[in-house]
Amino acid sequence: MNNNTAQEDILSKVVSLCKRRGFVYQGSEIYGGLAGMWDYGPYGVTLKNNIKSTWWKMFVDNRDDMFGVDAAILMSSKAWEASGHVAGFSDPLAECMKCKKRFRADHLKEDKCPECGGALGASRQFNMMFKTHVGAVEDSAAVVYLRPETAQGIFVNFKNVIDSLHPRLPFGIAQVGKAFRNEITPRDFIFRVRELEQMEIEYFIKESEWEKHFEYWRERMWQWIEAIGLEKEHVHELEVPDDERAHYSKRTIDFEYDFPFGRKELYGLAYRGDFDLKSHKEHSKVDLQYFDDATGEKFIPHVIEPSLGVERTMLALLLDAYTEDEMGGEKRVFLKLKPSIAPVKAMVSPLLKNKPELVGKAREVYMALKKEISQVAWDDNGNIGKRYRRQDEIGTPFCITIDFDTLENDTVTVRDRDTGTQERIPVSELTDRIKRSII
Ligand code: GAP
């Protein structure tokens, strides 16, 4: 975050930029919006895809001990009974007796309604899972839940993965996908939403080695934070105390980020023991033990779980990247996103829109670049200064301009987002140059 920008303003500035420039829109906006739901526009979806593909590449494709799955969002209610979510996935809810508004009881600072000052009723536990029915009959047998975490889609496929790929411990199963939580008070833009995406790993290990693997994944979390370009000094580890951890977890570290509305959880790293597999084994009556062919032992592996939210990653990245400065005597806003994460890598444009020879050459350069790098944009609207500002605002690291010199000597100017400096380079070197800069 730029120090010149007041903390309290920065969230509203980022929210407004996201809407104006096509990153994030309110869900069902033309019908007045639906609380806790957000839609992602053209740049938002690309930014999210870049986050998810960086994660998948780093933790699945680049490793030989990780297996990906994509499980169904709707899962049998029996799975959620086994995981403990039916009984315990709840937050305390307090309702105002006067205005009937509902609040997270543990978020309230006083015992009066923060909206109207009315008296609050006794708090009760509110289960956050979204429930629906499969099939034509709406009876209790047809009840299914939209998963509130992707993790259980991994545990229920543990045996399938073992049977089809025969991995040896330690190994992980990874999944990226939607999860749904009927949060009592969704808030702070995309920080607390009701429809979210998670990137989760269940890393299966021998119990005796849990501390070693926990440390290993703790380091990987920091490598990830660096890989996407988050400022390390804005992220802090919080050792979750005994009485606040899930009952099955022997150790949890929250990775917290300095959001403008306070230091809050960005990611979680938990040692879940053998709780989930053991419970699914008991409830499903299916043997979920691992057979160690070296020792002849059969046992339920323990698990380390790094759990990351896509929306919180995106919000932290946007907040870190949002910068205001002055260039050429004018104020400007730019997103200092890491080139590999930025939704547009390069913009190509002809200096003048009404010169067919410039436009023709620029289209040629644009098409050649787009063939090699998919996230390349074309812009010929307004003057060149305006085009640069528009690209700065969405975080495009490079702007390439085709001018009259290009027609003479086949060189183009490449403008750098952060410094505004321009360099002339031969068209023949352009693709390689941009490719190297966006890794
Ligand atoms: N499987 C473990 C699990 O789901 P969690 O701490 O409840 O643990 C993991 O969630 C991560 O998912 C969080 O650290 C956060 O990044 C993201 N997350 C959870 N609830 C969220 C919500 N309502 N809105 C946005 N992200 C959320």
Side-chain angles (χ1 to χ4, degrees):
M1 242 169 283
N2 185 314
N3 288 337
N4 300 331
T5 311
Q7 278 278 323
E8 59 271 22
D9 284 355
I10 194 166
L11 184 64
S12 56
K13 286 179 176 176
V14 166
V15 173
S16 139
L17 186 151
C18 281
K19 157 102 175 129
R20 193 162 28 88
R21 299 308 316 275
F23 282 85
V24 186
Y25 310 121
Q26 167 84 65
S28 308
E29 190 178 1
I30 62 166
Y31 292 103
L34 185 59
M37 305 295 174
W38 298 91
D39 294 344
Y40 293 84
Y43 296 128
V45 67
T46 311
L47 179 56
K48 266 176 55 162
N49 283 342
N50 290 350
I51 293 168
K52 290 184 281 183
S53 62
T54 304
W55 185 90
W56 194 266
K57 193 167 169 215
M58 185 165 169
F59 294 116
V60 183
D61 290 345
N62 286 358
R63 302 176 62 110
D64 51 19
D65 61 348
M66 197 67 75
F67 303 89
V69 293
D70 183 13
I73 285 169
L74 292 176
M75 289 177 66
S76 164
S77 54
K78 290 180 186 153
W80 302 108
E81 278 157 27
S83 67
H85 284 77
V86 170
F89 191 63
S90 46
D91 275 338
L93 176 147
E95 187 172 285
C96 172
M97 313 235 270
K98 198 167 152 201
C99 72
K100 303 290 172 208
K101 288 225 166 79
R102 293 170 159 198
F103 306 95
R104 273 273 295 266
D106 56 335
H107 285 173
L108 293 173
K109 292 193 176 75
E110 292 178 5
D111 53 6
K112 278 194 285 248
C113 172
E115 297 275 329
C116 75
L120 296 169
S123 87
R124 64 180 169 88
Q125 288 300 316
F126 171 78
N127 193 298
M128 290 194 288
M129 281 199 294
F130 281 101
K131 199 192 266 186
T132 187
H133 297 86
V134 285
V137 189
E138 285 201 8
D139 64 14
S140 60
V143 166
V144 292
Y145 293 100
L146 277 74
R147 63 184 183 202
E149 61 170 11
T150 56
Q152 299 304 324
I154 295 178
F155 291 122
V156 300
N157 280 294
F158 173 76
K159 186 174 176 342
N160 285 334
V161 173
I162 290 226
D163 289 350
S164 37
L165 289 123
H166 312 288
R168 310 274 295 264
L169 284 185
F171 71 90
I173 305 182
Q175 175 164 226
V176 175
K178 294 262 185 180
F180 300 81
R181 298 181 180 191
N182 198 0
E183 296 280 356
I184 298 168
T185 43
R187 61 168 68 175
D188 298 323
F189 191 35
I190 54 170
F191 175 79
R192 191 178 305 285
V193 294
R194 288 183 169 139
E195 178 173 337
L196 57 132
E197 271 188 286
Q198 291 183 315
M199 306 179 283
E200 295 200 300
I201 291 168
E202 301 303 330
Y203 198 73
F204 299 99
I205 54 167
K206 287 184 179 158
E207 181 181 5
S208 58
E209 296 179 345
W210 80 265
E211 276 149 316
K212 176 180 93 182
H213 290 295
F214 193 91
E215 275 313 308
Y216 171 87
W217 281 103
R218 180 190 189 167
E219 280 167 25
R220 292 298 155 303
M221 298 289 273
W222 284 107
Q223 278 180 4
W224 159 258
I225 287 160
E226 197 174 328
I228 54 170
L230 270 184
E231 297 278 354
K232 281 184 167 178
E233 58 268 33
H234 295 155
V235 184
H236 313 270
E237 287 188 14
L238 173 81
E239 190 77 49
V240 180
D242 288 2
D243 55 337
E244 287 175 29
R245 278 198 309 265
H247 59 282
Y248 49 78
S249 174
K250 288 207 181 82
R251 190 172 181 199
T252 299
I253 290 180
D254 281 351
F255 287 76
E256 297 190 313
Y257 176 83
D258 292 323
F259 289 100
F261 39 86
R263 188 173 285 185
K264 298 269 158 85
E265 180 183 335
L266 176 65
Y267 305 136
L269 174 66
Y271 168 41
R272 292 175 80 123
D274 59 358
F275 170 81
D276 301 272
L277 285 182
K278 214 169 169 181
S279 188
H280 283 302
K281 176 174 173 278
E282 277 158 22
H283 282 74
S284 67
K285 312 280 181 255
V286 173
D287 187 3
L288 299 180
Q289 292 183 96
Y290 168 84
F291 176 66
D292 188 337
D293 50 13
T295 62
E297 277 178 287
K298 250 182 145 186
F299 59 94
I300 301 253
H302 281 229
V303 78
I304 307 286
E305 179 196 66
S307 178
L308 290 75
V310 176
E311 289 76 7
R312 288 188 192 178
T313 306
M314 179 167 167
L315 182 55
L317 282 174
L318 289 169
L319 289 164
D320 260 8
Y322 185 90
T323 315
E324 292 175 355
D325 70 355
E326 246 185 56
M327 192 170 271
E330 265 181 50
K331 276 196 164 176
R332 72 158 182 160
V333 167
F334 73 107
L335 290 183
K336 210 171 182 168
L337 290 168
K338 202 168 171 182
S340 58
I341 294 288
V344 176
K345 309 300 188 216
M347 181 274 278
V348 180
S349 105
L351 181 66
L352 299 169
K353 180 180 178 172
N354 55 0
K355 297 281 176 206
E357 62 276 34
L358 289 184
V359 175
K361 181 67 185 171
R363 287 301 295 180
E364 205 182 283
V365 171
Y366 169 68
M367 294 311 288
L369 204 57
K370 206 167 172 66
K371 228 162 99 183
E372 298 286 323
I373 303 162
S374 57
Q375 294 166 355
V376 174
W378 169 266
D379 191 356
D380 59 7
N381 265 328
N383 67 41
I384 199 79
K386 287 211 173 100
R387 293 178 214 164
Y388 288 162
R389 295 289 180 275
R390 270 201 298 274
Q391 296 302 319
D392 287 346
E393 239 193 355
I394 61 163
T396 307
F398 304 106
C399 287
I400 296 147
T401 304
I402 282 71
D403 56 17
F404 292 104
D405 285 350
T406 314
L407 306 178
E408 298 288 316
N409 58 17
D410 219 28
T411 60
V412 290
T413 62
V414 179
R415 174 193 176 265
D416 179 90
R417 174 196 67 198
D418 300 348
T419 59
T421 52
Q422 294 186 30
E423 201 190 339
R424 274 211 97 84
I425 68 162
V427 170
S428 58
E429 290 173 19
L430 187 62
T431 304
D432 270 1
R433 181 63 174 278
I434 303 290
K435 265 188 175 170
R436 258 186 287 124
S437 314
I438 61 172
I439 297 168

